[in-house]
Amino acid sequence: MSMLDQRAKSLLKILIERYIAEGQPVGSRTLSKYSGLELSPATIRNVMADLEEMGFIASPHASAGRIPTPRGYRLFVDTMITVQPKTQSDELVQEVGASLSTDAPQRMISSAAQVLSNLTQFAGVVMIPRRTQSFKHIEFLRLSDRKVLLIVIAPDGDVQNRIIQADRDYSPAELTEAANFFNANYAGLSFDEVRARLAGELDQLRSDMSCLMQAAVQAGSQAMSGEDENVVISGECKLLQVEDLSSSMDKLKRMFQVFEQKTGLLQLLDVSSRAQGVQIFIGGESQLVPVEDMAVITSPYKVEGRIVGTLGVIGPTRMAYERVIPIVGITAKLLTQALSQH
């Protein structure tokens, strides 16, 4: 920022705003029209040449205009964003708050992803809070020959189900006996702690129950770790309507790899959960965003003062940041309030 004088800053800001609004390379005539500065076309061209040399803008092929680079977007979002007026923020609070008016935490999280997508017309994502590894109560329910439903109730009331393929057919009385043993001896422990203790205590049950108990520990551990559902995504198909992200098959492939292979997305959300407030990741600048024309805006959310997850919006780098940033920040704040009250 210190490399730029006020004239260069103003022209860069206008260039990025016009490009976000119109999606076309911005030329010196457009900058002269919108800047309000009494500068000659030659002066504006010289400033643009300097900005290009410093890496803030680039010149597409066969065009006299310029477009922002990832470095230009970074400077813009860090120093040039104009925040929405308070009246618009109040309306946004009411709209988001109405979408989160539910008693079930899981539904709140799904609603948050959906409202982020609906308000921005991009993809909304919410990283699910890491579940507690302990359990309050379990039950076994016979489904059919050698199939048993394991029901695990967490201390916070969250319920998880897993189907166990048993080694033999168990009667309802045997399943009740096994559940009673679990609840009497291990309630409040994690399944890893149960696994460690179970090996030396199975002699309290008949030996033919050992396979069921071990299978229950394995299934319960997977259920409480949430291995199969780490993040809720809503509206990813809306990105197909964004020309910047769908203009080539290569871009489409890389974009949907972000959603299909969730490891990178989870890593990004996990990184942003370690910071306070809204974070902006620009594609081409951050290795965590593999598509150059993609940007991710995130914010952590809390329960009783402790950060438990992250939510955000995935869209093009050419987005109205001054509108999307408050949507992400307010949604994180209201989800925090809703979950903490619950």
Side-chain angles (χ1 to χ4, degrees), residues 177-242:
E177 180 186 359
N180 289 342
F181 179 82
F182 251 99
N183 295 325
N185 291 278
Y186 305 132
L189 301 179
S190 71
F191 280 97
D192 286 341
E193 291 172 316
V194 175
R195 182 184 287 109
R197 288 178 50 177
L198 192 59
E201 298 178 1
L202 276 177
D203 56 350
Q204 297 179 45
L205 284 174
R206 298 194 312 274
S207 60
D208 62 352
M209 298 288 283
S210 62
C211 290
L212 174 65
M213 304 295 275
Q214 291 167 355
V217 169
Q218 179 66 26
S221 180
Q222 291 174 352
M224 300 308 284
S225 66
E227 292 173 358
D228 56 350
E229 46 176 335
N230 309 93
V231 61
V232 175
I233 303 174
S234 177
E236 60 266 45
C237 290
K238 291 178 181 177
L239 299 181
L240 291 172
Q241 309 302 318
V242 179

Side-chain angles (χ1 to χ4, degrees), residues 88-98 330 334:
Q88 289 178 278
S89 295
D90 291 342
E91 293 172 1
L92 185 59
V93 167
Q94 293 177 3
E95 189 167 359
V96 175
I330 287 171
L334 293 180

Side-chain angles (χ1 to χ4, degrees), residues 297-319:
I297 302 178
T298 67
S299 180
Y301 63 93
K302 305 176 182 180
V303 173
E304 296 179 348
R306 181 175 62 89
I307 292 176
V308 295
T310 311
L311 56 75
V313 167
I314 300 175
T317 50
R318 190 174 69 84
M319 74 167 79

